[in-house]
Structure formats: C-alpha cells, structure tokens
Amino acid sequence: MALVTTNPTINEGPLFAEVDMGSDFNAPTVRATVVQASTIFYDTPATLDKAERLLAEAASYGSQLVVFPEAFVGGYPRGSAFGLSIGNRTAKGREEFRKYHSAAIDVPGPEVDRLAAMAGKYKVHLVMGVIERDGYTLYCTVLFFDSQGHYLGKHRKIMPTALERVIWGFGDGSTIPVFETPVGKIGAAICWENRMPLLRTAMYAKGVEIYCAPTADSRDVWQASMTHIALEGGCFVLSANQFCRRKDYPPPPEYVFAGTEEDLTPDSVVCAGGSVIISPSGAVLAGPNYDGEALISADLDLGEIARAKFDFDVVGHYSRPEVLSLIVKDHPTNPVTFTSTSTKIEDKTK
C-alpha cells in the first residue's frame, strides 16, 4: 500500500504530496483521510465552515473517504465540570449546559443538510462526529454520508465515559449501523466504546471493513487498542482525534478547565491528537500524529481484508457459536410509546 505523506499544519501549503497508488488490479484501493483538527467551540456555523475547508482540501488530493473526530461539530467539552458535585449543581454549570446545548445540532436538521451537500459537492464519503440534540437531551453521535450527498444514518454512543454520562444520553442498539458503500462497508464506534468487546463483535458480524474510531483519547495506549481492533476484526481502522490548545476554547472565566486551568497558557496542548490509520494486518499506514492539526491519509488496499481473514475471521471460521454467542437487541428503546387506532370511515357518497 502506498502511504500518503502528512504534514502537521493545515494553513501552510499542501498537507501531503500525491503518490502513485500502486494498487492491485484485483482489489480496489481507497484513499482515506482522518482529520485531526479542533472545533471552534460554541460556534457551530464557524465549525461547519472549517469542516468544509478541510473536506475540500482532502478531496483535492483524491480522498474518497474522510473521517472527522468525536464531537467535532458541537465540541468535546474537555476539562469542563458543568458545576457538578454529588448532590449539587450550580447556576454557572446550568448556563454552561445551556450554551453547549445551543451549539448542538438536530438530526435531521439544517446542519445535517449542509454536511450532506458538502459530501456531494466534493464527492467524498463523510463520517462526522457531532453532538446531537434530541429535545433537551444530547448525544455523542457519528453521522454518515455518501459521495452523492445522501445522509445514510447515524451511530449514537451507547456508553459515555465518566462525567460524559451527565451531559450525554445513552444510545441504544438501533444505531449500530454498518453501511455498504462503493468504498467498502463502513461503521463506527466512538472513543472508549471501542474497548467494549460485545459492541465490536456486533460490528464484525455486520461485516465492517472500514472501522472508524472517532475519539478524544490521545494517550499512547490508545494506539494499542486501535492495532488490536484491526487485527481482531480483520478490518482497516481509522481513528480521528482533535488536536487542541487552550486557546481553541473560550478563555476563562467563560470556560474553565477544572483543576488544571492555573497551569495552562493559551498555547498549552490540551489534546495531542494521535490520529492513525491501521491495516487489517496491524501495520500502521499513517500516523500517529502528535504534532498539530493535520490531514492524515493512506491508500487502503481492500484486498488486505481477505488476506487477514484467511488467518483469523472472528465471526467466521474462528468463532465457536455452539459455545459462545451474542444477542444484540437492535430495536429502539423509547421511554414513551403512543398507540392509536384509526377507524376507516367509509365514504357513503361513493
């Protein structure tokens, strides 16, 4: 596979040079890009403008699939405590949530329409991390779009981590999709969901080939999880994380990094990225990048999937369903269901 050279800066010249893809004529090659860039916090229109600039640049180099980080639209509220302690909430924390709720997007909604139009305009398959607003509950969500500008569907994070559980709702089994597209079967799990073996198994059973892992985890140990998933699932893993400095968030007192604010300068790195692309054999194709905002790209030889599955097919020849099995409850779990009976009224005049 050919590796596309990356560059850690976004605004200074080309991000990577074009290379000969060198593909096997018997298997398609897909050029994929993971975006490592920060949200413009509390400014969703500006964030969408930034997303379009990045998408256009990736498309100009031939990318067919572009994956953005967790919560890119709406923002990952790193360091914010929302005024919470056990048994107590503050007025300032409630106001922080109001502003965060205002920055989220409805699905469907005008921002989804714009993202779909962007995917169609630049002829790329788009995987975008957003904060979804459903009434007054928020969800950490991934949206999927095809290269014709169609919204395909979404995945809601089923298990937020730690304080995330206070500000985000829990997804259910109805949004664990794997979409069959011209560039492969695409699915996503968000951040520490990727450490949930049963969720991964459900995705493998749906045939995921390009496993997207938008995240907020920039630790070195994250790379071990990504490599393991690629080997376990016999799939390509595309992990996209934000690269953020303190100045990418509003200044104090509007926004405070609880417990660390006094140690931060405007240029302090608060999320170091680590975005990466890994092959089904466990080879690192691009990244991890810890240097700054970047477009990180690689050419995916889809023939590698069959080569890897020859060794290990976790839901195929390496499974033991008579010993181990999984039941996935993939129906929506609505808190309120209304049942109505309509009576057909015959038109007597006919």
Side-chain angles (χ1 to χ4, degrees):
M1 288 184 197
L3 174 65
V4 181
T5 305
T6 63
N7 185 306
T9 60
I10 283 183
N11 297 318
E12 298 178 6
L15 289 173
F16 45 81
E18 285 289 84
V19 299
D20 182 1
M21 296 175 75
S23 62
D24 178 352
F25 288 110
N26 294 318
T29 300
V30 174
R31 179 160 296 178
T33 296
V34 292
V35 173
Q36 181 165 288
S38 65
T39 301
I40 301 174
F41 213 81
Y42 289 153
D43 193 338
T44 295
T47 298
L48 289 170
D49 290 343
K50 182 174 183 177
E52 181 161 8
R53 292 194 300 271
L54 295 168
L55 195 64
E57 186 162 5
S60 74
Y61 292 110
S63 291
Q64 299 160 273
L65 169 65
V66 180
V67 180
F68 279 77
E70 176 180 12
F72 185 78
V73 177
Y76 187 81
R78 186 175 301 277
S80 180
F82 287 87
L84 285 167
S85 60
I86 298 297
N88 185 56
R89 292 172 177 81
T90 67
K92 183 177 185 297
R94 290 190 176 96
E95 175 60 14
E96 288 176 2
F97 181 80
R98 184 201 65 77
K99 292 167 68 176
Y100 190 52
H101 179 272
S102 180
I105 67 172
D106 296 319
V107 181
E111 295 84 3
V112 178
D113 293 341
R114 181 174 176 188
L115 289 167
M118 287 161 48
K121 178 179 179 181
Y122 299 106
K123 305 301 181 188
V124 298
H125 292 78
L126 173 62
V127 178
M128 175 63 74
V130 306
I131 300 304
E132 177 191 358
R133 180 177 55 220
D134 188 353
Y136 290 95
T137 293
L138 303 180
Y139 295 91
C140 184
T141 297
V142 170
L143 305 181
F144 301 84
F145 304 87
D146 69 16
S147 61
Q148 303 304 305
H150 300 126
Y151 167 63
L152 300 177
K154 67 185 178 185
H155 165 61
R156 282 179 173 174
K157 194 174 192 177
I158 65 171
M159 193 61 218
T161 296
L163 198 63
E164 293 175 358
R165 299 173 198 172
V166 176
I167 58 170
W168 295 339
F170 293 48
D172 60 36
S174 67
T175 64
I176 311 176
V178 170
F179 296 102
E180 187 162 1
T181 77
V183 298
K185 297 178 181 178
I186 302 172
I190 307 169
C191 206
W192 280 17
E193 283 189 319
N194 289 282
R195 298 169 65 173
M196 300 172 70
L198 301 185
L199 175 60
R200 297 199 306 268
T201 302
M203 291 178 64
Y204 301 150
K206 290 188 173 187
V208 66
E209 296 171 333
I210 300 177
Y211 184 115
C212 302
T215 188
D217 192 340
S218 61
R219 299 173 304 155
D220 289 343
V221 72
W222 179 253
Q223 303 301 319
S225 290
M226 298 298 95
T227 300
H228 173 76
I229 291 170
L231 288 168
E232 178 182 68
C235 53
F236 289 95
V237 172
L238 281 59
S239 182
N241 193 7
Q242 298 194 33
F243 182 94
C244 305
R245 299 185 186 275
R246 176 62 185 88
K247 62 187 177 184
D248 293 319
Y249 287 78
E254 182 182 2
Y255 193 102
V256 175
F257 280 71
T260 62
E261 187 63 58
E262 61 278 6
D263 300 323
L264 300 175
T265 69
D267 288 324
S268 294
V269 175
V270 295
C271 183
S275 303
V276 70
I277 299 176
I278 301 176
S279 81
S281 67
V284 176
L285 303 181
N289 183 303
Y290 297 101
D291 298 326
E293 292 197 328
L295 298 182
I296 300 160
S297 300
D299 292 332
L300 315 183
D301 173 8
L302 299 188
E304 279 295 305
I305 297 170
R307 298 178 193 117
K309 299 282 194 182
F310 175 67
D311 293 349
F312 184 88
D313 186 355
V314 66
V315 291
H317 63 76
Y318 225 90
S319 66
R320 289 291 306 278
E322 76 281 14
V323 179
L324 304 167
S325 62
L326 171 65
I327 297 173
V328 180
K329 298 177 181 178
D330 58 359
H331 58 279
T333 53
N334 298 316
V336 180
T337 300
F338 294 94
T339 302
S340 60
T341 302
S342 60
T343 304
K344 184 176 181 180
I345 302 175
E346 185 178 349
D347 187 351
K348 303 286 188 183
T349 63
K350 292 184 178 180

